[in-house]
Amino acid sequence: MTAPTQSPDVLVVGAGPTGLTAALAAAQLGLRVRIIDQRLERARYSKALVTHARTMEIFESLGIADDVLAAASQLEALNLRGSFGVHGRIVLDKLDWGDTAYPHWLIIPQYEVENLLEKALTRQQVAVEWGTELTGLQRSASSVTAAVSTQDQPQTITASWIVGADGGHSTVRANIESKFKRAESQAPFILADAYTTAHLPDREAQVSLAPEGFLLLIPLPTHGLWRIVAHLPYQSEDWAEPITPELLDGLIASRARIHFGAHEIAWTSRFSPSYGIASPLRSGRAFLAGDAAHVHSPVGGQGMNFGVHDAHNLIWKLALANKLQPKQAARLLDSYEAERRPVIERMVARVQRITTLVTDSRRAGRRVLGTAAPTLLPHTGARQILGQTMAGLNIAYQHGPLVLGRDKLSGKRAASNISKHQSPGTWYWHTDNHGIQLIRPDGVVAVSGATRREVDTRIRRNSLLKAILDVVEPTR
């Protein structure tokens, strides 16, 4: 346990899904960790709803996958409605899911995920320090010193590393002077969680691509409670009309031809998507992850999931860095940005394209989309995007010093049935019909070859991997 007065190995700023994942992974690897959040308590509302397959594989490695499954509901289908009464249907379990043990979209509010992560963190004897605000940061070659304030009582925390998981307006990002230029979409949306009197399938989402605007209805795990997401193409961003049952019913009836019967509205919000990626993601001993590193539209449910992926890529590297000589440790830590940035850039660009498509400012453009998409989407390459791409299963790290070769395995995630046997922080040798692979602690294939001799030859030519294998012993 790291007491609030102790100097940790890792100071995590922000107790959302990204920060909690980082703290839990660090604690499981034996690092001393503290996690602070300026909020007084956890929020009871949630913009994020979808937990994807790759995230579930990460949660499995953290020991909470079963708990998440028990609290979530599985989305089974997307029902598409477009212009002129055109319909389409995508059955999610028939998508190409590959080898994952979690071939589905799970619907679970973000605060429930946070609650399960925090419970697991508590079992590691680490408590979130709520009401603790980062007010300043000083860095040296060997440590970081954070100035924090708890109930107006200032203190300092000196740590080996700091992870900024403190959201889109990150204080850590500002303190390390990482550049962050937002591109505003000027596409106003409303969100609402409301109960319905309509008899809608509990595990099927309703998607409307109507000329009146994009509409998404997602069933929440609580029976009868639905998330409503609506683009308002005719409103300005400062539109402030109350979000009432009458407003929701009118939008849903005009776009989806559903008599929703909205009542007991639990939560509402307005937003206009913006897009941005921090540069750099690492400055010395400070790292950015989650919304502190990248912001984008919530279309596709990528935000929370990618934040978890950031933490999963980073923390084992921090645990390993202290075992290496400074030059190789620096190369190891540089690999966080080298690997994550290309993946993040592709995701943000893809989400931006899709969001731009469904929020076309021209009514004629929305009409064309609503005519074509419901018919084409169930039968085209979009099925791949909805499956492995959105699920994060085909992410590949082919940049940086920790992946050797450009073959069909190196840099990709190992199959679920392989990586599930890895203990936290371990490297792993795996042999199958493809040959032999060296698998990293995050379940990514570092190098593969037909024979052990071929793989060893490649490793000898890479000073970083060679140095790592001098201090760790891969299991089999």
Side-chain angles (χ1 to χ4, degrees):
M1 178 176 182
T2 306
T5 56
Q6 286 183 306
S7 295
D9 297 309
V10 182
L11 172 63
V12 179
V13 183
T18 304
L20 289 165
T21 298
L24 179 58
Q28 290 181 345
L29 291 174
L31 297 174
R32 299 187 309 274
V33 60
R34 289 176 65 178
I35 177 169
I36 65 174
D37 196 298
Q38 66 179 358
R39 297 172 297 171
L40 297 178
E41 60 184 8
R42 183 164 319 290
R44 293 298 299 174
Y45 57 85
S46 173
K47 288 186 178 179
L49 280 182
V50 182
T51 297
H52 286 301
R54 179 55 180 155
T55 305
M56 286 300 297
E57 292 177 354
I58 294 170
F59 286 164
E60 182 178 71
S61 73
L62 296 173
I64 68 165
D66 288 345
D67 295 328
V68 174
L69 282 171
S73 62
Q74 181 179 330
L75 194 65
E76 296 177 352
L78 302 176
N79 294 303
L80 308 173
R81 183 184 182 92
S83 308
F84 308 111
V86 177
H87 289 76
R89 179 177 169 84
I90 298 174
V91 179
L92 295 179
D93 67 3
K94 293 184 179 179
L95 300 178
D96 178 10
W97 290 102
D99 55 34
T100 185
Y102 303 96
H104 34 241
W105 290 15
L106 289 178
I107 304 300
I108 177 171
Q110 178 177 316
Y111 59 78
E112 293 287 3
V113 174
E114 292 171 349
N115 182 51
L116 294 172
L117 284 165
E118 189 175 0
K119 286 182 177 179
L121 190 60
T122 300
R123 292 194 290 270
Q124 294 290 325
Q125 298 185 302
V126 178
V128 176
E129 299 174 42
W130 297 105
T132 303
E133 180 180 6
L134 177 72
T135 58
L137 186 64
Q138 293 183 334
R139 293 171 292 148
S140 71
S142 59
S143 65
V144 294
T145 300
V148 303
S149 176
T150 304
Q151 298 178 343
D152 296 324
Q153 297 296 316
Q155 62 171 298
T156 59
I157 302 173
T158 299
S160 298
W161 318 99
I162 187 168
V163 178
D166 49 341
H169 300 283
S170 169
T171 303
V172 175
R173 188 179 67 223
N175 273 271
I176 67 173
E177 299 181 343
S178 178
K179 296 178 180 178
F180 193 76
K181 183 178 180 180
R182 288 176 183 261
E184 303 293 340
S185 69
Q186 297 183 335
F189 279 79
I190 60 169
L191 299 176
D193 289 351
Y195 285 88
T196 181
T197 59
H199 298 289
L200 297 172
D202 276 343
R203 294 175 179 265
E204 299 185 7
Q206 309 294 324
V207 185
S208 176
L209 300 167
E212 294 82 4
F214 173 76
L215 174 73
L216 175 63
L217 306 177
I218 305 174
L220 297 176
T222 301
H223 178 71
L225 183 62
W226 287 69
R227 167 66 52 83
I228 302 160
V229 184
H231 172 226
L232 304 175
Y234 305 118
Q235 303 293 344
S236 64
E237 291 184 66
D238 58 0
W239 177 74
E241 181 179 337
I243 301 174
T244 62
E246 293 75 20
L247 172 67
L248 297 175
D249 283 346
L251 287 171
I252 295 168
S254 66
R255 300 181 185 189
R257 306 298 186 264
I258 294 171
H259 299 291
F260 192 75
H263 62 284
E264 296 183 54
I265 298 177
W267 171 70
T268 65
S269 182
R270 294 176 171 84
F271 74 95
S272 184
S274 61
Y275 303 87
I277 303 173
S279 181
L281 301 180
R282 176 204 175 199
S283 180
R285 290 179 171 267
F287 300 82
L288 301 174
D291 287 352
H294 42 82
V295 296
H296 44 83
S297 161
V299 170
Q302 299 295 287
M304 181 187 75
N305 291 274
F306 260 64
V308 170
H309 301 178
D310 292 341
H312 187 58
N313 181 280
L314 172 62
I315 296 302
W316 67 269
K317 296 175 181 178
L318 300 185
L320 179 57
N322 286 335
K323 299 179 182 180
L324 301 176
Q325 294 299 314
K327 181 178 178 180
Q328 299 299 353
R331 291 186 66 203
L332 171 66
L333 298 177
D334 282 342
S335 73
Y336 172 66
E337 176 134 13
E339 292 182 347
R340 289 303 294 165
R341 177 170 293 282
V343 168
I344 292 167
E345 288 176 344
R346 287 193 294 270
M347 179 272 292
V348 171
R350 181 176 65 249
V351 169
Q352 189 170 12
R353 286 194 301 270
I354 296 171
T355 305
T356 299
L357 186 64
V358 301
T359 60
D360 194 323
S361 61
R362 302 163 302 168
R363 186 180 179 91
R366 297 195 299 275
R367 189 180 297 276
V368 170
L369 177 66
T371 302
T375 302
L376 296 178
L377 284 177
H379 307 290
T380 67
R383 294 172 59 84
Q384 172 70 19
I385 294 176
L386 291 170
Q388 293 193 45
T389 300
M390 280 192 176
L393 297 171
N394 59 6
I395 289 173
Y397 298 138
Q398 295 178 330
H399 302 272
L402 282 175
V403 173
L404 307 184
R406 294 293 183 266
D407 55 85
K408 64 181 180 180
L409 294 177
S410 297
K412 298 181 181 179
R413 55 174 277 283
S416 284
N417 65 336
I418 299 172
S419 57
K420 71 182 298 182
H421 298 296
Q422 283 184 271
S423 300
T426 60
W427 293 71
Y428 186 84
W429 289 111
H430 174 72
T431 303
D432 58 18
N433 293 336
H434 298 291
I436 186 167
Q437 302 106 48
L438 176 61
I439 301 170
R440 307 179 339 181
D442 56 354
V444 172
V445 178
V447 57
S448 69
T451 64
R452 176 65 182 269
R453 180 177 180 180
E454 179 184 341
V455 170
D456 286 343
T457 299
R458 290 185 180 181
I459 291 173
R460 283 195 298 270
R461 294 171 180 169
N462 181 282
S463 60
L464 176 56
L465 269 180
K466 184 176 182 300
I468 289 172
L469 295 187
D470 285 341
V471 298
V472 300
E473 182 65 34
T475 60
R476 297 178 182 275

